[in-house]
Amino acid sequence: MTGKRRHRSAYALALTLVAALGATVPAHADTPYPFRDPSLSVDARVTDLLGRLTLDEKISLLHQYEPAIPRLGIQSFRTGTEALHGVAWLGKATVFPQAVGLASTWDPELMRDVGSAVGDEARGFQQTRPDGWGLNLWAPVVNPLRDPRWGRNEEGYSEDPYLTGAISTAYGTGLTGGDPDHLKTAPTLKHFLANNNEVHRDTTTSELRPRVAKEYDEQAFKPAIEADAATGVMSSYNLVNGRPNTVNPALDGTVRTWTSQRLLNVTDAYAPGNLVGSQKYFGTQAEADAAALKAGIDSFTDNDRDSGPTTAAVKSALSTGLLKESDVDKAAADVLSVRVRLGEFDPGGGKYGSIDASVIDSPAHRKLARQAATEAAVLLKNQGGALPLKKSAKDVAVVGPLADTLHTDWYSGTLPYAVTPKDGIEAKLGTSVASSEGVDRIALKDTATGKYVTAGAGEAGAALKESATTAGTDAQFDVFDWGSGIVTLRSAANGRYVGYNWSGFVNDQTQPNGWYVQQQFRLEAQDDGTYLLRYAGYETQESWWSSPVYLGPTGADGTLGLVSKDQAAQYAKDVVRSGVADAVAAVKGRDTAVVVVGSDPSINGREAHDRTDMGLAPAQESLVEAVRAANPHTVVIVENSYPTTLGSLQKQVPALLWTTHAGQETGNALADLLWGDADPSGRLTQTWYRSESDLPSILDYDIIKSGRTYQYFTGRPLYPFGYGLSYTSFRYGGLRQVKGGYEVSVTNKGGRAGDEVVQLYVHQRVSRDEQPLKQLKAFQRVSLKPGETRTVRLKLRRSDLAHWDVTRSKWVVEKGTYDVMVGSSSADLPARTAWRVDGETIPPRDLSKVTRAENFDDYSPAVHLVDESKAGGTAVSAASDGAWLKFADTRPAKGADVFSARVAGSAGSVEVRLGSPTGPLAATAHFAGTSSPYEYTTVTARLSAAAKGRADVYLVLGKDVRLSTFSLR
């Protein structure tokens, strides 16, 4: 029985129960309503409450900001508290490592604990209900990290859907409390579906052939929903196969089949308006909102707090017949189901109602944050046993732009305290250490006026102006290079960053921040040795930006403002202090030099902005080279949120340790790892490529054809998926099959305790379809004492070997031999065996049946997947003449003599060819065109005798022809 059928049966039973209650319960004020009775089922309570609401009240539940209903004693409710790696935007709260760092622990048990802590803190904030409060959490992000250039890479877990599912299920279980009917919080998975680029994210379409959709993107979302570790999904901004995800029918037709629980599906912020605005998919908001409700959306995140446009659109859709009241009832019931399960209508707030603010940043959560930051770090290189450092190595220098600071990202909470790398090392050693940020301190002098640019003292700073004749402290700025030509300027006058405030430039920010990150600049070198100072806040990339971007004096007092390039001030750059020289002086003669480099998560890619490269900033790489030359005992910590190409750096330095921006306990965790009080046990959750040239366009979502991720990449990575070193070493014994999976013995060969992540991969040797080079199917983290051997059991079922059969649109386990491989990474799998599986043999395609064009086996670059209609379905479109589709191994029905195709779009033809796109012509169906790309007609053509035998069939399309289905009969 499917989840939907179970749900309908339970709902029908609830209706009967409430009808009986209504006949026996007196209707007077002293009697509690059945929806407040915890002894009743969730469905019964929802049905009772729904029946008491007016139509207007039910409609009011469909917006993010749900108003109170005083007559029933119901409080207001809000969807959407951010809780990606801690509760965000509500005040000081425990900040755990970024999501990609949490996943790098490969530790589901730890993830459950972290999720539980975050859930507790979300509950803790409910006592005061600060602005933005809510128990519907918008986390975790489960989009597979298909492309490391994605600006939001830090928010996801892994390029692998299995690992993503395991980590998100654990985190979600912690957030919910593990009881589907009594929720601690209600987590929402982001962002459904195929949302892995930020460039033009509201208008780009992610083209998903069925195998990629079923085997890859959907598999990252399914586990947490199936395990009741999430209570819904958020639809993403992008389109999939030409249709906006806000009206993706899979929200109902696929996602809800994964569970018997009601789900609360929400839109991303302002996405409903995009349907009429940037996407121009519907003519009116009433049409758009009606389509979203019918597709499976329950809550509209639109127009911020103003629910008026949403309620007006829904009412208009009802009055014009676009919606029925039953459509509203269904969505409202989904919303109410989650509110009931959260205990909102229970005495005392239910099972978790007593959790108070004392849990926020508690000692236990601080300890957990330190553990998570420690386990998240990945040791990439350790040549000659450079790490761990000797206990006697106390004469240490800690240098680099991230040596004595912690950066937070857009979805971070507010740090309750910050242990920087320098802080953690000093605490570990019990003494102060030498330090330098390794950045240049400069002064900028206008060559035309001879005046220096100055900033203000005090926290508020002051407007930048050209006012000084000497380069005093108020005229000095520290220049941080973040790569791609972007720098930030920190005033020496008050230690604050310079930023634009829509009218001028002020040094008033503790770190780069804000939606547009208005602290970004470029120093553009000119042929005469001077520099132009260009403003590079993110808003300058918006289509509406029309202002000039260069700085120059705009007032009589020399105040700086935006001017055109020909009016820009030409500055001489005086280097007051060399960052490299300062760092070299700090490290010379020391026992060890620790260099901390990396990214600023506000600048090096983030929401709405993808990365253009994955390398370290040039100035940071030069710093490491200089420090290494000055002190051979150099250890490098790379602190960022994405795979990094690293250039020649990974060859030059003896030890490389990677960590994400790891929250408040970053410094303590790093110190524990550097001095060996903890064993490095993090493992990479993504392939680290050598160059951006290893990657196709970020808009290419077909990981099979483009060879993306460790599953299909045939090149040589810098570091492979699953990789990570330890301070000890492990030996794998033989692999043997047992009931329900495989067993392997793992021995710690070293002289110290360590953690290993035992990983199991499979590969199908022979298949009708192109198969992954390997696929992760199980893993287990184990702690081993020196010399200890442990037998590790890894689950693997026959059903885990299934892939999507496009010939019959179903999951299939093929008959054949499968390699089962176990080891420490996707590239180091010493324990191997073969599993002979008695599965199916996929038969030849029967093209006498109506075949969907999207179920091809291969295609030319000119083929695109598009929306068959606005309500559902996928068709194929040709961007140029000669675009082709391959349907492999077909066997026509006996006597087949007619090719039939359902087509739309521009006039053209569909050719049937055999063996290749230029092979023998079997038929040509001509098409006169239709007035709309959604208006289909059927064309036919006689098949030649050549089409009688078994062959690969190619369909060759004319430009702008859309093909939905076809058959050979």
Side-chain angles (χ1 to χ4, degrees):
M1 182 183 290
T2 67
K4 265 193 164 181
R5 287 174 182 165
R6 289 197 303 271
H7 171 74
R8 287 168 179 162
S9 298
Y11 195 60
L13 179 62
L15 285 170
T16 303
L17 175 59
V18 171
L21 286 169
T24 59
V25 177
H28 56 76
D30 295 334
T31 302
Y33 295 119
F35 74 81
R36 294 192 178 277
D37 183 354
S39 69
L40 297 180
S41 70
V42 173
D43 279 340
R45 298 173 72 185
V46 168
T47 304
D48 174 71
L49 178 51
L50 192 66
R52 297 178 188 279
L53 300 178
T54 67
L55 178 57
D56 283 351
E57 288 169 339
K58 288 184 286 191
I59 293 172
S60 76
L61 300 176
L62 308 186
H63 189 265
Q64 179 186 21
Y65 287 86
E66 303 170 30
I69 305 175
R71 69 182 185 84
L72 294 174
I74 295 175
Q75 290 184 289
S76 61
F77 186 85
R78 177 187 182 272
T79 62
T81 294
E82 301 295 350
L84 187 60
H85 52 109
V87 180
W89 306 356
L90 297 184
K92 292 181 178 179
T94 307
V95 178
F96 294 95
Q98 292 175 305
V100 70
L102 289 174
S104 299
T105 68
W106 292 62
D107 191 342
E109 184 176 348
L110 173 64
M111 285 297 293
R112 280 193 296 273
D113 291 342
V114 171
S116 182
V118 175
D120 283 348
E121 296 200 7
R123 278 280 176 175
F125 278 109
Q126 75 174 330
Q127 302 301 331
T128 56
R129 297 187 68 160
D131 186 47
W133 169 88
L135 291 176
N136 172 234
L137 307 184
W138 286 355
V141 171
V142 299
N143 298 106
L145 302 181
R146 168 195 64 102
D147 194 307
R149 295 168 298 188
W150 186 34
R152 302 181 76 169
N153 194 85
E154 66 203 30
E155 297 181 33
Y157 290 135
S158 172
E159 69 183 32
D160 181 75
Y162 175 81
L163 179 57
T164 296
I167 296 296
S168 61
T169 298
Y171 188 62
T173 299
L175 291 174
T176 64
D179 180 351
D181 290 334
H182 300 88
L183 299 170
K184 181 186 296 185
T185 64
T188 301
L189 304 181
K190 299 195 297 187
H191 312 80
F192 190 84
L193 181 70
N195 176 210
N196 194 224
N197 66 273
E198 296 301 293
V199 57
H200 304 305
R201 60 180 178 167
D202 59 327
T203 55
T204 54
T205 180
S206 306
E207 296 184 28
L208 298 185
R209 58 198 280 196
R211 279 196 64 197
V212 175
K214 295 295 182 184
E215 297 175 18
Y216 190 65
D217 285 276
E218 288 181 7
Q219 290 307 305
F221 284 83
K222 183 178 180 181
I225 296 291
E226 194 171 47
D228 292 324
T231 58
V233 301
M234 172 189 283
S235 61
S236 55
Y237 289 118
N238 60 292
L239 298 81
V240 165
N241 298 343
R243 181 181 300 106
N245 273 327
T246 310
V247 291
N248 189 337
L251 292 165
D252 251 358
T254 300
V255 177
R256 293 191 196 274
T257 66
W258 295 336
T259 178
S260 60
Q261 291 283 353
R262 279 191 174 274
L263 299 177
L264 167 54
N265 293 334
V266 306
T267 74
D268 210 334
Y270 292 92
N274 291 343
L275 292 169
V276 177
S278 61
Q279 294 165 344
K280 296 179 174 58
Y281 205 67
F282 295 100
T284 68
Q285 201 62 51
E287 293 175 276
D289 287 6
L293 278 173
K294 286 181 173 292
I297 290 295
D298 302 306
S299 179
F300 292 83
T301 315
D302 207 9
N303 300 293
D304 199 19
R305 294 176 179 272
D306 184 6
S307 62
T310 295
T311 57
V314 172
K315 288 178 180 179
S316 176
L318 285 166
S319 67
T320 56
L322 293 171
L323 287 175
K324 298 177 181 178
E325 187 170 352
S326 59
D327 296 316
V328 174
D329 287 352
K330 182 261 184 190
D334 291 339
V335 173
L336 292 174
S337 174
V338 167
R339 293 180 66 171
V340 167
R341 293 155 64 198
L342 283 168
E344 180 180 348
F345 309 124
D346 291 358
K351 182 176 179 179
Y352 300 103
S354 62
I355 298 175
D356 62 24
S358 66
V359 301
I360 299 172
D361 187 36
S362 66
H365 291 180
R366 292 184 174 194
K367 181 179 179 181
L368 189 63
R370 183 167 181 166
Q371 180 187 355
T374 304
E375 289 191 21
V378 181
L379 183 59
L380 299 176
K381 183 181 179 182
N382 194 22
Q383 184 178 329
L387 289 176
L389 300 174
K390 294 180 175 62
K391 299 294 184 182
S392 59
K394 293 195 173 187
D395 187 12
V396 174
V398 186
V399 301
L402 281 78
D404 197 24
T405 188
L406 295 185
H407 287 294
T408 55
D409 59 60
W410 180 251
Y411 288 105
S412 286
T414 303
L415 292 169
Y417 60 90
V419 182
T420 70
K422 177 175 177 285
D423 294 336
I425 289 172
E426 287 183 334
K428 176 67 64 178
L429 299 179
T431 184
S432 61
V433 298
S435 183
S436 167
E437 290 177 307
V439 300
D440 287 347
R441 177 164 287 185
I442 66 168
L444 296 171
K445 182 172 68 174
D446 189 331
T447 57
T449 65
K451 298 283 184 69
Y452 284 94
V453 176
T454 61
E459 291 186 2
L464 264 63
K465 60 179 63 176
E466 295 179 0
S467 63
T469 56
T470 59
T473 302
D474 62 344
Q476 297 176 16
F477 300 89
D478 297 323
V479 184
F480 292 82
D481 178 12
W482 300 111
S484 300
I486 298 295
V487 301
T488 53
L489 302 173
R490 189 182 63 195
S491 170
N494 65 352
R496 300 218 164 195
Y497 287 86
V498 175
Y500 185 55
N501 62 7
W502 301 103
S503 61
F505 295 89
V506 181
N507 58 316
D508 61 351
Q509 299 300 310
T510 56
Q511 283 194 1
N513 65 87
W515 180 251
Y516 290 117
V517 194
Q518 295 178 297
Q519 297 78 37
Q520 301 182 82
F521 299 89
R522 294 178 184 271
L523 279 166
E524 296 184 352
Q526 305 301 296
D527 292 341
D528 63 358
T530 63
Y531 291 83
L532 303 185
L533 186 56
R534 180 183 180 121
Y535 173 58
Y538 281 145
E539 74 272 27
T540 62
Q541 301 174 27
E542 299 287 348
S543 60
W544 47 262
W545 178 267
S546 59
S547 300
V549 293
Y550 288 90
L551 273 68
T554 57
D557 63 350
T559 298
L560 294 186
L562 291 174
V563 298
S564 60
K565 185 174 184 178
D566 62 337
Q567 295 177 316
Q570 291 186 290
Y571 291 111
K573 186 179 74 171
D574 297 345
V575 178
V576 178
R577 183 189 66 208
S578 165
V580 166
D582 193 56
V584 165
V587 304
K588 273 188 175 179
R590 307 287 179 183
D591 293 337
T592 303
V594 178
V595 190
V596 192
V597 293
S599 72
D600 184 319
S602 291
I603 293 172
N604 296 101
R606 49 152 289 174
E607 183 170 357
H609 297 277
D610 294 314
R611 269 174 289 282
T612 55
D613 69 72
M614 299 182 295
L616 281 178
Q620 293 188 27
E621 193 161 348
S622 297
L623 173 68
V624 173
E625 291 172 353
V627 169
R628 166 66 171 157
N631 189 327
H633 304 293
T634 294
V635 173
V636 175
I637 296 170
V638 179
E639 187 177 332
N640 64 12
S641 323
Y642 48 88
T644 310
T645 50
L646 292 180
S648 60
L649 200 64
Q650 56 91 26
K651 296 180 181 178
Q652 296 176 355
V653 297
L656 275 169
L657 183 69
W658 174 80
T659 180
T660 185
H661 297 282
Q664 62 205 52
E665 286 286 342
T666 297
N668 284 330
L670 291 175
D672 286 344
L673 290 163
L674 291 175
W675 271 268
D677 292 321
D679 183 57
S681 58
R683 302 294 184 263
L684 298 179
T685 67
Q686 294 176 266
T687 300
W688 281 43
Y689 298 96
R690 292 180 177 273
S691 167
E692 290 83 4
S693 63
D694 287 331
L695 296 166
S697 165
I698 196 172
L699 299 179
D700 185 344
Y701 276 75
D702 189 346
I703 66 165
I704 300 175
K705 193 172 180 70
S706 65
R708 276 180 191 248
T709 81
Y710 81 94
Q711 292 189 15
Y712 294 97
F713 181 61
T714 57
R716 188 167 65 95
L718 181 65
Y719 296 111
F721 174 82
Y723 173 84
L725 299 176
S726 166
Y727 290 152
T728 186
S729 59
F730 303 94
R731 181 179 65 248
Y732 283 79
L735 188 62
R736 68 187 187 94
Q737 190 170 18
V738 295
K739 185 177 180 181
Y742 284 82
E743 283 185 348
V744 64
S745 62
V746 183
T747 302
N748 181 348
K749 299 192 302 177
R752 55 176 294 142
D755 284 10
E756 172 70 314
V757 178
V758 182
Q759 304 165 39
L760 182 150
Y761 297 81
V762 299
H763 169 67
Q764 185 174 345
R765 291 185 184 177
V766 179
S767 173
R768 178 200 180 276
D769 303 308
E770 183 176 355
Q771 291 296 324
L773 302 171
K774 55 180 73 77
Q775 274 186 296
L776 180 71
K777 291 297 182 181
F779 66 90
Q780 187 174 330
R781 185 185 174 101
V782 293
S783 298
L784 296 173
K785 297 174 183 177
E788 181 183 2
T789 297
R790 185 177 302 176
T791 298
V792 178
R793 176 169 289 192
L794 299 158
K795 293 181 180 178
L796 184 66
R797 302 163 299 178
R798 181 180 177 278
S799 59
D800 295 330
L801 306 176
H803 78 276
W804 188 254
D805 174 17
V806 293
T807 72
R808 296 171 294 173
S809 294
K810 73 170 196 173
W811 292 99
V812 60
V813 177
E814 286 184 284
K815 179 180 180 179
T817 300
Y818 295 75
D819 294 313
V820 181
M821 304 162 284
V822 174
S824 58
S825 80
S826 62
D828 183 9
L829 300 166
R832 295 169 177 249
T833 190
W835 184 10
R836 181 68 182 173
V837 176
D838 185 18
E840 293 185 59
T841 297
I842 299 175
R845 279 187 186 264
D846 181 0
L847 296 184
S848 67
K849 297 178 180 178
V850 174
T851 299
R852 296 204 62 82
E854 65 178 310
N855 285 328
F856 49 73
D857 291 293
D858 197 7
Y859 60 101
S860 68
V863 163
H864 294 288
L865 294 168
V866 295
D867 50 339
E868 183 178 8
S869 73
K870 291 188 176 182
T874 296
V876 169
S877 177
S880 63
D881 288 333
W884 54 264
L885 305 171
K886 176 184 179 181
F887 297 86
D889 190 24
T890 71
R891 177 181 291 161
K894 185 176 182 180
D897 60 359
V898 174
F899 167 65
S900 176
R902 188 168 175 263
V903 290
S906 299
S909 65
V910 182
E911 296 178 346
V912 181
R913 292 187 177 270
L914 306 178
S916 78
T918 57
L921 181 65
T924 302
H926 294 284
F927 170 51
T930 57
S931 59
S932 164
Y934 304 122
E935 180 187 340
Y936 285 82
T937 187
T938 299
V939 296
T940 60
R942 283 284 175 187
L943 289 166
S944 70
K948 303 299 183 183
R950 188 168 174 175
D952 293 343
V953 169
Y954 287 77
L955 300 186
V956 183
L957 310 181
K959 182 179 180 181
D960 294 330
V961 171
R962 286 190 172 205
L963 175 63
S964 169
T965 60
F966 72 97
S967 64
L968 276 65
R969 298 181 178 178

